[in-house]
């Protein structure tokens, strides 16, 4: 990066619904095309205001992503089709179309590009912060990203990452409610990349899950497994989003992290990640996901732990105590936040199930 | 439509950058889902404000449509891919993917769904009105739609529509500049549907162009051809946009029209249509494209015209005098409009090539 621009680059950490917009605009303003800069500034402002004014829920935005994806998928270039259909026999035409479809196979199977777009525009983290507000002392949420996938159930202590180049890491966690009581039987999805920075689903030739699992917390709220130390990696850059980031001089890296997703009846769904302290991208995550409370210091496994958990002494050790918020608590907080925000904006709406609708009374 | 809602349905004609937003919101408010209604109201407001504040150009929005389409096309569901790859051999997996790709073929080849989405949200007509402002006494523009395609050059008087069920229509036009001088040698694209309301490119098995042509104006600015009387038709409803319209109780019809597109060096590109008066959808075009100056009364071919133009007496007759604006005139008007609009909005920008950029001086 040009050192003269260093003062323009904000510290992208602990972003909230109130400060995300100005920070995304500032990081985008490294772009040296004045017109594009202006368009992006207005786009981000309106996109974020739309989410804030509607209190857009995660489920609604997921439906929106689905709508946009379906819309893209059904598109075809009538000009091209028309030329083919006039120049070729139906069979040649079908083969030609087939060839076009096959060509990008390798890059096709790896991602949900609209999720990625939403991530790099700061919309994903904004929607998460609106829809899953967290009281103090509970675990904060962050972006889901496009790489969650179904995974096999493991037993506590199992190895989930098989990359031979990975540095083994023991992960010891607890799960509690906001009163400090252990939560038993929560379903926990965990996923991380291999040492090349790729998730298993990004490989078209990989047949078995790697770097991901599902585990359930035990009666003491404990869950544990053996993974590898995560590495920083670039978000996929082979598509339109990668080209956009390059054009506006934004790096595509995410700091080293492991994803965690918690589901348990009666508790607000928690999608989060743990980040490794002092990662070179800790304050410039391409998708704005880092929060101070989610940054951890790794330790080393000592001899007692080595014996107890069956992993070499000196391996990396990650520990964390997760805290889930109850549905009731979360929903009350969401309602209060929505009401306050919309009162401040002067909108004539009422809050129904945490979401505003026109108030016609 | 529920008669009690009739007063909520605005007359959707002659919409401008200043009144399009309230009218699109009103037509969308037939939706009986209060939450969706609120989301659509905020979405339309922000989308239109974005276009107005950036003075978004047609070319830029075309690039935006391309970006969104590429983004949709590269998407895939990692969950699905992952399951296939674990359950099937690579060949079964490839066949399975192939099957999914083949299935929707028939509907796939007919449209650019993002253009359609932009059309039904009122964004296309808004961008056209910003980017191609028209002084009084010149021909107004309207939406391009997703069905323009390359077409063969014809000679004056040729038949362009071969539907045997069509009612023959002679089309006699002139093309002049704003001083009344004929414009010679302009390239004119013309396209219309068959009597079932489908464009040729919507048929996967049709090999030759039908209902479309390219013609050039002669030394007197004249161009003429033989077509069929256009019919109203629904925009394609088999995709996400059709489902959206249904959900919010909006009909998908466009009133009967013929598309015209004019290109001539030194003149502003004109994309327009002629509409037939008293069409049942004249005041409720699904894509907001009707303007009073573009609505024509059809006449009947008399015996002199029948002999002169080689078409049966009593056939339909459409006549129109198109007026193109020079590039210089158009660009001066665009600059003035942009400056006025942004001054009113209080934005700190300057206008460069008709488009605002941040004013850092």
């Amino acid at each position: 990066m040009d050192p003269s621009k260093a003062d323009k680059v904000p510290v992208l950490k602990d972003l909230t619904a109130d400060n995300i917009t100005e920070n995304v605009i500032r990081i985008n303003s490294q772009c040296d095309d004045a017109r594009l800069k202006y368009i992006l500034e207005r786009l981000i402002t309106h996109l974020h205001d739309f989410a804030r004014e509607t209190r857009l829920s995660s489920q609604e935005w997921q439906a929106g992503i689905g709508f946009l994806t379906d819309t893209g998928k059904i598109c075809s270039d009538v000009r091209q089709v028309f030329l083919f259909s006039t120049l070729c026999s139906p069979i040649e035409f079908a083969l030609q179309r087939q060839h076009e479809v096959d060509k990008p196979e390798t890059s096709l199977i790896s991602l949900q590009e609209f999720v990625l777009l939403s991530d790099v525009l700061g919309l994903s983290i904004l929607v998460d912060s609106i829809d899953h507000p967290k009281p103090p002392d509970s675990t904060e949420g962050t972006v889901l990203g496009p790489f969650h996938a179904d995974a096999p159930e493991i037993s506590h202590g199992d190895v989930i990452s098989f990359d031979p180049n990975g540095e083994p890491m023991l992960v010891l966690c607890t799960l509690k409610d906001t009163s400090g009581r252990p939560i038993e039987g929560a379903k926990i999805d965990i996923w991380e990349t291999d040492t090349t920075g790729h998730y298993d689903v990004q490989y078209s030739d990989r047949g078995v899950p790697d770097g991901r699992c599902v585990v359930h917390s035990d009666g003491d709220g404990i869950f544990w497994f053996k993974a590898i130390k995560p590495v920083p990696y670039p978000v996929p850059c082979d598509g339109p989003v990668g080209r956009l980031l390059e054009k506006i001089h934004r790096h595509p890296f995410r700091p080293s992290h492991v994803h965690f997703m918690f589901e348990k009846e009666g508790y607000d769904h928690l999608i989060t990640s743990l980040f490794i302290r002092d990662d070179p991208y800790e304050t410039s995550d391409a998708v704005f996901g880092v929060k101070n409370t989610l940054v951890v210091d790794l330790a080393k496994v000592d001899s007692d732990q080595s014996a107890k958990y069956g992993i070499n002494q000196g391996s990396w050790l990650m520990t964390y105590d997760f805290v889930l918020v109850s549905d009731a608590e979360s929903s009350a907080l969401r309602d209060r936040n929505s009401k306050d925000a919309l009162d401040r904006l002067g909108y004539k709406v009422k809050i129904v199930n945490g979401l505003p609708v026109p108030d016609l009374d």
Side-chain angles (χ1 to χ4, degrees), chain A:
Chain A
M1 187 194 313
D2 178 352
S4 71
K5 290 184 176 167
D7 61 330
K8 289 190 183 169
V9 181
V11 173
L12 301 170
K13 204 158 73 164
D14 283 321
L15 298 177
T16 67
D18 292 328
N19 68 14
I20 178 97
T21 307
E22 60 190 288
N23 279 288
V24 174
I25 288 172
R26 278 172 71 202
I27 192 80
N28 284 347
S29 71
Q30 297 173 94
C31 169
D32 44 23
D33 175 336
R35 173 65 182 164
L36 180 58
K37 193 151 91 178
Y38 181 62
I39 287 181
L40 285 173
E41 188 237 292
R42 300 315 310 149
L43 178 69
I44 298 296
T45 300
H46 283 296
L47 205 55
H48 289 197
D49 281 348
F50 166 69
R52 274 188 288 258
E53 291 165 10
T54 56
R55 314 302 294 177
L56 196 66
S57 79
S58 305
Q59 199 182 9
E60 286 170 337
W61 184 223
Q62 211 172 358
I65 292 273
F67 181 89
L68 292 169
T69 305
D70 289 349
T71 301
K73 288 218 169 295
I74 206 174
C75 287
S76 67
D77 187 333
V78 291
R79 286 179 191 76
Q80 200 175 20
V81 167
F82 192 66
L83 285 176
F84 283 143
S85 66
T86 56
L87 296 176
C88 313
S89 74
I91 290 172
E92 281 168 331
F93 175 44
L95 285 173
Q96 178 63 47
R97 284 189 58 81
Q98 191 38 51
H99 176 65
E100 284 167 24
V101 168
D102 279 340
K103 226 170 18 186
E105 184 82 78
T106 316
S107 61
L108 257 183
I109 65 165
S110 57
L111 57 124
Q112 217 303 353
E113 191 84 353
F114 267 117
V115 171
L116 191 61
L117 179 59
S118 168
D119 290 352
V120 305
L121 297 181
L123 187 58
S124 302
I125 192 76
L126 173 58
V127 168
D128 183 76
S129 78
I130 289 171
D131 201 34
H132 299 282
K134 298 292 188 278
D137 303 325
S138 65
T139 303
E140 293 191 271
T142 186
V143 290
L144 172 65
F147 295 116
H148 175 253
D150 290 334
E153 168 96 30
I154 61 155
S155 300
H156 290 179
D158 281 356
V159 172
I160 70 161
S161 299
F162 303 97
D163 183 339
N165 298 318
E167 300 176 35
M169 181 174 77
L170 175 65
V171 186
L172 299 178
C173 304
T174 65
L175 181 62
K176 296 184 176 162
D177 66 17
T178 49
S179 316
R181 281 183 296 258
I183 298 177
E184 181 177 2
K187 181 191 177 202
I188 305 151
D189 276 81
I190 294 143
W191 63 109
E192 66 166 347
T193 70
D194 61 20
T195 57
T196 73
H198 292 89
Y199 291 93
D200 53 3
V201 291
Q202 294 182 273
Y203 295 95
S204 55
D205 62 348
R206 183 157 301 196
V208 291
D210 187 6
R212 70 177 71 238
C213 72
V214 168
V215 66
H216 284 79
S217 50
D218 72 12
D220 297 317
I222 289 171
F223 62 97
W224 64 286
F225 55 92
K226 291 161 191 158
I228 57 175
K229 187 184 176 207
V231 297
Y233 65 85
V235 298
C237 292
D238 57 341
V241 173
R243 290 193 290 277
L244 173 66
L245 291 181
E246 191 180 354
K247 171 96 183 157
I248 62 179
H249 304 307
R250 272 176 57 179
H251 78 68
F253 280 86
R254 298 215 63 199
S256 314
H257 63 281
V258 180
H259 291 271
F260 293 82
M261 182 163 76
F262 298 84
E263 283 173 88
K264 170 73 184 179
E265 213 185 311
Y267 294 90
D268 191 42
H269 194 73
L270 172 64
I271 295 166
T272 193
S273 293
L274 296 181
F275 299 87
I276 312 298
R277 194 175 312 283
D278 294 334
D279 185 282
Y281 304 103
E282 183 178 329
T283 62
S284 66
D285 184 0
V287 304
F288 311 106
V290 181
K291 294 179 178 172
N292 249 329
T293 60
L294 302 174
V295 178
V296 299
D297 293 291
L298 293 191
K300 293 283 180 113
V301 170
D302 65 24
S303 65
D304 288 354
Q305 290 164 329
S306 170
K308 179 170 179 188
Y309 295 109
I311 189 169
N312 287 341
Q313 186 175 344
S315 300
W316 293 108
L317 173 64
M318 173 184 263
T319 58
Y320 202 79
D321 298 315
F322 292 93
V323 177
L324 292 193
V325 185
S326 73
D327 271 337
E329 213 173 348
S330 168
S331 144
L333 187 55
R334 187 165 51 238
D335 278 18
R336 198 162 61 240
N337 287 351
S338 292
K339 207 182 158 310
D340 289 353
L342 292 165
D343 279 354
R344 278 199 305 274
L345 292 169
Y347 281 102
K348 192 171 157 47
V349 292
K350 56 187 173 189
I351 307 297
V352 179
N353 298 325
L355 299 169
V357 299
D359 186 0
L360 305 172
D361 301 335

